[in-house]
Every structure is written in C-alpha cells, then in structure tokens.
Amino acid sequence: AQKITQTQPGMFVQEKEAVTLDCTYDTSDPSYGLFWYKQPSSGEMIFLIYQGSYDQQNATEGRYSLNFQKARKSANLVISASQLGDSAMYFCAMREDTDKLIFGTGTRLQVFP
Amino acid sequence: DTGVSQNPRHKITKRGQNVTFRCDPISEHNRLYWYRQTLGQGPEFLTYFQNEAQLEKSRLLSDRFSAERPKGSFSTLEIQRTEQGDSAMYLCASSSNREKNTEAFFGQGTRLTVV
C-alpha cells in the first residue's frame, strides 16, 4: 500500500497567487513526522517544512504553511504569493519509527507570469 | 561547510561495468542515507548508516550493491555488473540525530546512465 500519496502530477499557478499541493499518508504509528521537499531541475532536494504528528498547530515557514488534518491523514502544502522561482517538483515525505524518509511521487508546480 | 557533496555528478557506463559513487556528508552529521530516484518517481530508500554502522538496507539493494562508511565520515556506494535498470539518480543525505523532526539534508545527486 502506498504510504504517501500525491494525486496531482502537475499544477499551474499564476505569480503572486496561492497554491495548495495535496498529500495524504497512511500509517498506524502514532508518532510520525511529515516533511515537504522542493526539487528544482538541478536535482537537489531542499527541505521546506516539517509537521509532527503531535503538533497542535499547523507548521509555517515564511511563505510555506502546512494544512495538517490528522483525522483525514492529509498534510497539504500551501505556498502563498507564488514566485517564478517556485517552479519545481515538490515531494511530501513521512518518517515513522525508523529513520528513513518515505516519499510520494511528487507534484510538478509551474508558476507563470 | 557547503552541505552534502556527491561525486561524480554524472556517470555514463557500459552495462556490466562497476561504478562507485562518493558522498561527503555535513561534517557533524552522524547519519547518512542513500536513496535512488528514477524518472517521474520520488526518492526510494536504499540504506543508511549511523556513524560507520550500516543499520538498515532496503530490499531494493540487491547483492550487486554495496555501501560503506569507513570511520563514519564519507560513504561510497558501489554497483557491480551494472544493468540498464540501474540508470537513475542516486541521492545521498545526512542528518544530525534520530529525532523525527530532524530534516535530512540532501546532496545534488549522481546521475547514472547505463548504456
């Protein structure tokens, strides 16, 4: 079974608008962490934001926020005021009791002027 | 410290040849991970080290793959008798501790093409 599901292969957004990238996860572990990474065409995975399963508030980091709905097992990334440089692949990932990250298949975001 | 460094960035090899990749983690990080990413997919876990000890290996890591981290510093990933299916981006990451909220820092990857 897929542990991390990203159902949007591609998304378009106009510059300065907000966009939501979807992520749902599956785990029976009560303690887990959720991450979002950005991968530009250069290939490097860039950490954006983290949400812990016990965190009461949604995580925010600058223009990035995470809409965490635990009962629905979703952890959507919201990017506000999109910029051209936000165009990239975005990956949702989960860490359970083991140390490894489990990634989704990603969403390609394209920001147009 | 400029982050996680991987060499080479690109490698083209003929089927059946052996290849070796190197990863230099962030210096104070004791955890080092290898992932493989094929086109259109997210990274898939291969193996990880805590210091010099290899603690977990994925089923994806066939017996043609071997990873080492001597002295708990840099790591090497060797693929013997390469096959076309080994063509992928090989990503290395490092992190500082085991807490679930600790992000892993990734290198820029080594893109392997087997012809």
Side-chain angles (χ1 to χ4, degrees), chain B residues 5-20:
Chain B
S5 176
Q6 290 189 248
N7 288 288
R9 293 289 310 280
H10 303 274
K11 178 71 177 178
I12 300 174
T13 191
K14 290 184 178 179
R15 190 176 50 175
Q17 297 294 306
N18 298 345
V19 293
T20 300

Side-chain angles (χ1 to χ4, degrees), chain A residues 37 39 95 97 99-100, chain B residues 31 37 48 56 98 102 104:
Chain A
Y37 281 84
Q39 188 178 41
R95 174 182 281 143
D97 197 38
D99 282 340
K100 61 180 180 280
Chain B
R31 281 177 154 73
Q37 185 178 22
Y48 92 95
E56 186 174 350
R98 196 185 182 282
T102 303

Side-chain angles (χ1 to χ4, degrees), chain A residues 57-77:
Chain A
Q57 293 188 323
N58 288 343
T60 60
E61 288 285 350
R63 295 186 299 108
Y64 304 109
S65 61
L66 203 151
N67 184 359
F68 181 46
Q69 298 189 43
K70 195 170 182 177
R72 294 185 177 184
K73 293 188 174 178
S74 74
N76 299 338
L77 176 70

Side-chain angles (χ1 to χ4, degrees), chain A residues 29 31-33 35 37 39 42-45 47 50 91 95-106, chain B residues 9 31 33 35 37 40-43 45 48 56 89 91 95 98-108:
Chain A
D29 189 343
S31 176
Y32 52 89
F35 300 77
Y37 281 84
Q39 188 178 41
S42 60
E44 183 178 1
M45 300 286 283
F47 166 75
Y50 164 82
F91 290 96
R95 174 182 281 143
E96 297 174 301
D97 197 38
T98 60
D99 282 340
K100 61 180 180 280
L101 288 169
I102 302 167
F103 287 85
T105 52
Chain B
R9 293 289 310 280
R31 281 177 154 73
Y33 309 81
Y35 289 82
Q37 185 178 22
Q41 300 296 318
F45 171 78
Y48 92 95
E56 186 174 350
M89 174 79 87
L91 293 164
S95 67
R98 196 185 182 282
E99 295 303 318
K100 285 189 173 63
N101 64 345
T102 303
E103 71 268 29
F105 294 85
F106 283 79
Q108 291 188 296

Side-chain angles (χ1 to χ4, degrees), chain A residues 9-26:
Chain A
M11 290 286 285
F12 289 88
V13 65
Q14 192 166 27
E15 200 176 7
K16 300 179 185 175
E17 297 295 307
V19 64
T20 298
L21 307 183
D22 294 342
C23 173
T24 58
Y25 59 92
D26 183 26

Side-chain angles (χ1 to χ4, degrees), chain B residues 59-92:
Chain B
R59 290 173 299 173
L60 293 174
L61 215 65
S62 76
D63 56 6
R64 295 185 298 105
F65 288 69
S66 62
E68 294 182 341
R69 193 183 182 196
K71 302 178 184 177
S73 56
F74 71 92
S75 176
T76 56
L77 177 68
E78 180 184 16
I79 309 174
Q80 296 182 325
R81 305 180 303 281
T82 52
E83 301 173 356
Q84 286 189 320
D86 297 331
S87 296
M89 174 79 87
Y90 290 84
L91 293 164
C92 175

